[in-house]
Amino acid sequence: MKAEVTVDSSVYTAQSNLLCPSCNEPYLHQGAIEVYDRAEDAEKVRCTVVEGGNIFSQTIPNATSNNPSSRRHGLLIHFECEHCTDVDFKLNIAQHKGFTLMDWEYEHGSNSGSES
């Protein structure tokens, strides 16, 4: 499921809080981070994952990757919500034609239950 990124600016003056796309609460915890480094329209992408203090990096075909960008660099940040159990959340950030695009991707019933 896809959802628009929403923020709340009422808690901190110079910062905004991400809100959960499922329950609209701000209590999110960051998990794994996936970085996709791709030259424009290249067939291969360098995927680097940071999770639990470990770093894994490999070059893979872009067509079979999770890269949120259809043409260039992308970034996925996995989140868990304190209020939503059994939901896998990913904040997708993609570069496309000079724009930085963001959306949530989430699926109910898919969280493995691991802590961040």
Side-chain angles (χ1 to χ4, degrees):
M1 187 179 311
K2 293 276 191 173
E4 183 178 329
V5 174
T6 54
V7 296
D8 174 21
S9 300
S10 64
V11 179
Y12 299 101
T13 12
Q15 297 175 325
S16 298
N17 290 324
L18 284 173
L19 299 178
C20 174
S22 182
C23 70
N24 213 36
E25 291 289 335
Y27 304 103
L28 299 172
H29 298 269
Q30 297 171 19
I33 300 167
E34 301 176 39
V35 178
Y36 295 90
D37 184 20
R38 180 182 184 209
E40 185 174 352
D41 295 328
E43 290 184 26
K44 302 244 182 205
V45 62
R46 183 75 169 165
C47 175
T48 303
V49 178
V50 178
E51 182 175 23
N54 297 307
I55 300 170
F56 178 74
S57 188
Q58 64 180 342
T59 300
I60 57 176
N62 189 67
T64 59
S65 75
N66 289 326
N67 187 356
S69 176
S70 61
R71 302 193 66 201
R72 295 188 184 158
H73 304 303
L75 177 66
L76 296 176
I77 305 173
H78 295 255
F79 285 88
E80 289 183 15
C81 175
E82 290 184 10
H83 296 282
C84 298
T85 58
D86 206 26
V87 182
D88 180 30
F89 296 100
K90 288 184 266 185
L91 178 63
N92 298 327
I93 303 172
Q95 179 182 351
H96 185 72
K97 296 189 177 201
F99 292 97
T100 299
L101 309 174
M102 295 189 300
D103 67 13
W104 283 109
E105 185 175 342
Y106 66 103
E107 186 176 332
H108 291 277
S110 63
N111 193 338
S112 65
S114 63
E115 291 189 34
S116 300

